[in-house]
Amino acid sequence: MDVRVGVRVEGIVQGVGFRPFVHGLATGLGLSGLVGNDAGGVFIEVEGAPGAVGRFLDGLRTGPPRLAVVDRVTTRDLETRGRGGFAIVDSAATGGEAPGEGRALVSWDSATCDDCLRELHDPADRRYRYPFINCTGCGPRFTIVTDVPYDRPRTTMAGFAMCGPCAAEYADPADRRFHAQPVCCPACGPSPALLPAAAPPDDPVAAARALLADGAVLAVKGLGGYHLAARAADEGAVAALRARKHRAAKPFAVMVPDMAAARALCVIDAAEEGLLTGPRRPIVLARRRPAAPLAAAVAPGNAALGLMLPYTPLHHLLVTEPLVMTSGNVSDEPIVHRDDDALKRLDGIADAFLVHDRPIHTPADDSVVRVFRGRPLPVRRSRGYAPEPVPIPAGPPVLACGAELKNTFCLTRDGQAFLSHHIGDLENYETLRAYEDGIAHFRRLFDVTPELLAHDPHPEYLSTKYALEQHLPVIAVQHHHAHIASCLADNGVPGPVIGVAFDGTGFGTDGTLWGGEFLVADLHGFERAGHLEPVPMPGGAAAVREPWRMAAAYGVPDDLPVARRPGWDTVAAMARRRVNAPLTSSMGRLFDAVAAVLGVRDRVHYEGQAAIELEQRADPSEPAAYRASINGTDRFTVTGADLVEAVVADVRANVPVPLIAARFHNAAAALVVDAATRIRDTTGLGTVALSGGVFQNMFLLERAVSGLTDAGFDVLTHHRVPPNDGGISLGQAAVATAQFT
């Protein structure tokens, strides 16, 4: 006898071709019924022979479309109806949850698939060279969605009525565009334009390409916002872009047309190629070839290069050679995504604008990823990843407000943590507005009403002030505890672990600035087992911008070149007298001091520049390491000054800088192992979690992980969220959930 079963599928199942997949699976098994979207995901009714229904349910779990993520399949028995066919029904059809019960997950934006690329380059196809070609397997998702359930009226494609041929594809179960919400063509979809132009060119993309070839800086409207583009081999164009954008030294990303062009610029391994060519298409930080044909201004003094491949049809048509492709903004402001805002804010930076008329609802910067031991190590998690959730233990709905720098926020619901796209540094009104707008959108999109807010304890962070203004219960999660909790949540481990949190600064429980921390931690709490010995930070924030100040704080002798800077005596006196010199245990500031002593960098133009350049100067073949003393038992301190003294001694002995830099890195790695071993001896813990922005340093991370593994530890590193402050909100959410469950 036939059976009829009601099915609910939850996960990333909207906007990924799931209903057409269900239709094909059901009809292939001879089943009748229906499938539709609602605010909770996908609802299905299926009727037929019990064996065929069982195979159908297995297929839902084992063979979904490539962009789908099936989190849960639940079933209930229904009365048979004897339906003769299988239909895709409107979202409002009976069988779905009531409106407002938002449980559906929105897919991330996906790079153009191979099928669409073949059509894009086929002169016989009606979408030949159409810059907005897409299907159920690729194209815009998160950046165009305005609400759920995911249907065309709830996207920024709502204003584009489908033409007859597109509507026929949309309604044809055998077509690749069956129920693809952004489906369009030149007759009915968005159009590109080049501004300013005396007369509209026949091919705006080709005209834009010609401008780039002539040395212009071009603003290009992409998937999640505007880019600023210039020929990567054109020194004048790249230098002009750098000057106009007020970006003195931070490297630019480069978009290349294909893998052959990528390999001409960088050494690419298999894991890096997989990321470059995969559907998420992040910027991948790869090892630059010494003779790479690039303008010096692309990535000055940097041995790595951020590469990405085209991920929209427009990019595929525009990029025929390596192009600088950097966020469309003035430094420290959010990426521009609204057209009127772009024409105003990028005026004077861009010589021309390649635009289109499909609105971007949610801005999303490009994601940035490194590869560590064959796995992704995110540096910035945004376009192509957000808003894919990270599983955490279930608890009350939480809004975690994140940190001040590299801010993200995080909303939780039913054991899922929705980490936002990259917001940026909360240091100006524009970024704060983007932050508040993003929170409001996520709350609406995922139908979350927070019952608890988690925030950083630093009283001056704008994210903290935002949390305290919401009139909800709040929990302050110490910055470095949040780092370790983020690593635990990233790996699905509750703890306890030995947590090593190395970063620039974070507000400590004793009122000082932490950053070189050894913790015993789980999601419920932490103890500070050890830390770098605190030193003064003369001038406070000025010491972050001017690493030579940290050299003075560490007592570097006056006869070294770094001490010849104007103001050295004054700053050294500030440090000795503790005047305007808050104490810090920061590992990041120790790296700064060493970089200044070695003459690598005494003033920075972007966060972490001194440490990045110090890493790149280190000789990977050097095995020697300095040693730092560890003092105390219950709560030990590490004398970072020992390492600075060893560096000074080698400078005076004329040891080459690459060897000194390597010995310092090796010392920091050995310090991690020694401190973890000491904690294991007293606690019995055998797992170490490494987090904080300093662990984006591949030289340090590789040696620390190797040393810990050789010493018998299990080691946790990040692979889904960044170890820097971009992952803080996930850690805050995990701690708040654990403490209030």
Side-chain angles (χ1 to χ4, degrees):
M1 295 181 61
D2 284 352
V3 295
R4 188 177 186 88
V5 177
V7 186
R8 172 154 296 283
V9 186
E10 297 173 74
I12 300 176
V13 291
Q14 294 191 10
V16 293
F18 203 86
R19 288 177 297 173
F21 156 71
V22 170
H23 183 279
L25 181 63
T27 54
L29 291 168
L31 302 174
S32 64
L34 57 87
V35 60
N37 280 349
D38 65 11
V42 169
F43 61 89
I44 306 168
E45 293 182 14
V46 64
E47 183 171 340
V53 170
R55 290 191 294 276
F56 173 83
L57 295 175
D58 289 340
L60 291 180
R61 299 181 178 94
T62 60
R66 70 169 189 148
L67 299 183
V69 178
V70 176
D71 288 334
R72 184 165 56 178
V73 178
T74 55
T75 63
R76 57 192 175 94
D77 294 333
L78 301 173
E79 291 186 8
T80 57
R81 297 181 183 176
R83 284 175 175 252
F86 195 93
I88 292 180
V89 299
D90 292 337
S91 297
T94 182
E97 294 180 359
E101 296 182 5
R103 292 293 182 268
L105 302 186
V106 176
S107 172
W108 37 273
D109 303 277
S110 174
T112 311
C113 68
D114 290 342
D115 289 332
C116 284
L117 282 179
R118 279 191 288 271
E119 294 176 345
L120 182 71
H121 297 299
D122 181 1
D125 194 277
R126 70 188 186 93
R127 293 186 176 90
Y128 176 56
R129 300 186 66 78
Y130 180 55
F132 307 99
I133 188 171
N134 68 84
C135 69
T136 54
C138 70
R141 298 293 189 273
F142 172 59
T143 53
I144 66 169
V145 172
T146 59
D147 208 344
V148 291
Y150 176 72
D151 283 313
R152 194 179 183 99
R154 298 179 182 90
T155 74
T156 61
M157 287 295 295
F160 297 94
M162 280 184 276
C163 65
C166 284
E169 292 170 333
Y170 182 88
D172 182 0
D175 195 278
R176 198 176 81 254
R177 294 185 172 88
F178 184 42
H179 281 252
Q181 302 308 328
V183 64
C184 58
C185 74
C188 65
S191 301
L194 186 65
L195 306 174
D202 292 336
D203 187 340
V205 179
R209 219 168 36 239
L211 286 175
L212 289 167
D214 287 340
V217 173
L218 190 68
V220 180
K221 186 179 180 181
L223 197 60
Y226 277 78
H227 285 111
L228 290 165
R231 288 185 65 242
D234 188 330
E235 187 67 55
V238 179
L241 171 56
R242 194 170 284 287
R244 297 175 192 176
K245 190 175 161 72
H246 304 300
R247 187 164 170 170
K250 192 174 183 180
F252 287 139
V254 174
M255 181 176 282
V256 293
D258 49 37
M259 280 306 302
R263 292 192 183 94
L265 299 180
C266 290
V267 178
I268 308 290
D269 66 21
E272 290 165 340
E273 180 173 354
L275 286 167
L276 284 167
T277 59
R280 299 183 191 270
R281 295 288 168 99
I283 297 169
V284 177
L285 298 180
R287 182 158 58 93
R288 180 177 176 175
R289 293 188 185 276
L294 292 172
V298 170
N302 205 300
L305 186 66
L307 290 181
M308 60 178 161
L309 264 62
Y311 54 84
T312 71
L314 186 146
H315 289 141
H316 281 281
L317 297 172
L318 179 69
V319 182
T320 57
E321 62 175 324
L323 297 180
V324 164
M325 197 73 76
T326 188
S327 298
N329 57 5
V330 177
S331 287
D332 300 326
E333 292 185 358
I335 188 171
V336 178
H337 69 289
R338 295 187 178 92
D339 299 334
D340 56 348
D341 199 25
L343 294 173
K344 178 175 63 177
R345 287 170 59 191
L346 302 182
D347 182 40
I349 302 177
D351 298 307
F353 293 75
L354 180 59
V355 301
H356 59 76
D357 53 350
R358 183 181 68 204
I360 298 169
H361 186 73
T362 302
D365 274 285
D366 294 314
S367 296
V368 182
V369 179
R370 305 191 80 137
V371 170
F372 176 67
R373 295 191 169 189
R375 300 178 75 191
L377 178 71
V379 175
R380 184 170 72 197
R381 183 185 187 271
S382 198
R383 192 257 319 144
Y385 292 84
E388 184 177 18
V390 176
I392 63 170
V398 173
L399 168 59
C401 296
E404 186 82 339
L405 301 181
K406 299 179 175 64
N407 178 271
T408 62
F409 60 83
C410 184
L411 279 167
T412 70
R413 186 195 71 197
D414 301 335
Q416 294 173 316
F418 299 97
L419 194 69
S420 77
H421 49 295
H422 171 78
I423 304 297
D425 296 348
L426 292 182
E427 295 181 327
N428 56 55
Y429 171 74
E430 289 81 7
T431 312
L432 179 62
R433 186 177 65 177
Y435 174 76
E436 293 173 340
D437 289 348
I439 290 173
H441 182 53
F442 266 57
R443 287 186 58 174
R444 183 173 61 253
L445 202 59
F446 300 111
D447 193 29
V448 176
T449 302
E451 297 176 5
L452 177 67
L453 270 66
H455 64 87
D456 193 281
H458 197 299
E460 295 304 314
Y461 281 4
L462 293 181
S463 55
T464 300
K465 293 179 178 181
Y466 172 87
L468 298 178
E469 291 170 355
Q470 302 309 305
H471 306 295
L472 285 170
V474 297
I475 174 175
V477 182
Q478 198 279 324
H479 189 89
H480 301 93
H481 183 207
H483 268 309
I484 300 305
S486 175
C487 188
L488 293 177
D490 195 331
N491 288 276
V493 174
V497 297
I498 300 166
V500 183
F502 286 173
D503 65 359
T505 53
F507 199 69
T509 58
D510 60 359
T512 65
L513 300 174
W514 294 5
E517 309 307 310
F518 301 94
L519 311 178
V520 173
D522 59 17
L523 297 180
H524 293 273
F526 76 99
E527 294 181 4
R528 194 185 191 196
H531 55 87
L532 278 178
E533 187 174 50
V535 298
M537 196 168 145
V544 178
R545 298 187 297 270
E546 299 179 333
W548 65 269
R549 291 173 176 261
M550 292 309 303
Y554 270 101
V556 170
D558 293 347
D559 61 329
L560 263 65
V562 67
R564 297 171 192 156
R565 282 194 60 98
W568 176 271
D569 291 341
T570 301
V571 168
M574 289 171 60
R576 287 194 303 271
R577 297 170 185 168
R578 307 284 174 85
V579 176
N580 189 23
L583 290 175
T584 182
S585 59
S586 167
M587 178 61 78
R589 302 287 80 81
L590 177 57
F591 268 78
D592 283 353
V594 172
V597 171
L598 294 182
V600 171
R601 173 67 55 181
D602 60 8
R603 182 177 180 84
V604 302
H605 300 285
Y606 60 91
E607 187 198 14
Q609 183 182 7
I612 290 169
E613 294 182 2
L614 181 64
E615 175 192 0
Q616 294 177 354
R617 296 291 295 275
D619 182 349
S621 67
E622 171 60 31
Y626 306 127
R627 303 300 296 187
S629 56
I630 300 179
N631 309 299
T633 52
D634 292 339
R635 180 178 291 185
F636 59 83
T637 59
V638 179
T639 309
D642 291 347
L643 303 183
V644 177
E645 289 175 7
V647 168
V648 168
D650 271 356
V651 169
R652 285 176 165 163
N654 294 317
V655 175
V657 168
L659 296 184
I660 300 176
R663 291 171 185 176
F664 171 71
H665 278 80
N666 291 339
L671 174 59
V672 171
V673 179
D674 292 346
T677 301
R678 178 177 289 234
I679 298 172
R680 179 173 61 185
D681 290 344
T682 58
T683 64
L685 295 173
T687 300
V688 179
L690 305 177
S691 192
V694 172
F695 284 113
Q696 293 171 160
N697 182 317
M698 294 293 100
F699 194 114
L700 172 64
L701 185 62
E702 176 60 45
R703 281 153 182 77
V705 171
S706 293
L708 289 166
T709 303
D710 290 345
F713 288 99
D714 294 323
V715 185
L716 305 178
T717 59
H718 287 264
H719 62 98
R720 285 194 281 197
V721 302
N724 60 40
D725 283 6
I728 282 283
S729 62
L730 175 63
Q732 292 172 342
V735 170
T737 299
Q739 293 191 4
F740 284 83
T741 300

